[in-house]
């Protein structure tokens, strides 16, 4: 689940949480300069399920989902252009403006 606080159309606080096998896993939060908010939840879900299917821990899956969803909102249109390397770098504490 995404935790999004909308400050304005283009400024959001972004976080995520998941409940897996009775345990709660929480992402960090970040401030985003949003270009297009459509698809952020889809981006989170894609990153989260990717992490689980790739054998990552639930906490890492939440972090990957959080990072991918955040990056998703920094692209125009309802599609992602973020690479796996960008998602992993952001999940580890990078910036939503990385490598562009």
């Amino acid at each position: 689940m995404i935790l999004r606080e909308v400050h304005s159309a283009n400024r959001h606080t972004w976080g995520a949480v998941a409940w897996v096998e009775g345990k709660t896993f929480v992402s960090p939060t970040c401030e985003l300069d949003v270009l297009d908010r459509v698809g952020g939840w889809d981006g989170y879900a894609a990153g989260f399920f990717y992490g689980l299917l790739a054998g990552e821990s639930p906490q890492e899956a939440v972090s990957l989902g959080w990072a991918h969803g955040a990056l998703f909102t920094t692209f125009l249109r309802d599609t992602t252009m973020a690479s796996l390397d960008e998602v992993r770098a952001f999940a580890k504490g990078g910036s939503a403006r990385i490598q562009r």
Side-chain angles (χ1 to χ4, degrees):
M1 164 186 269
I2 295 174
L3 306 172
R4 180 194 325 235
E5 184 177 349
V6 177
H7 304 288
S8 71
N10 297 96
R11 188 71 175 166
H12 299 182
T13 301
W14 184 265
V17 64
W19 191 59
V20 179
E21 296 180 353
K23 295 181 183 170
T24 302
F25 300 91
V26 181
S27 76
T29 58
C30 66
E31 297 295 318
L32 290 177
D33 293 319
V34 175
L35 293 179
D36 189 345
R37 68 179 283 159
V38 174
W41 170 204
D42 294 337
Y44 166 76
F48 177 70
F49 289 122
Y50 167 83
L52 292 178
L53 292 170
E56 302 286 356
S57 70
Q59 182 61 58
E60 183 64 17
V62 168
S63 293
L64 290 171
W66 165 78
H68 187 245
L71 290 171
F72 204 112
T73 67
T74 67
F75 294 102
L76 289 174
R77 299 189 182 92
D78 190 18
T79 188
T80 183
M81 299 300 288
S83 70
L84 180 56
D85 288 339
E86 287 175 314
V87 173
R88 287 192 182 279
F90 185 59
K92 289 182 176 29
S95 166
R97 298 176 197 214
I98 55 176
Q99 301 176 7
R100 291 201 202 136

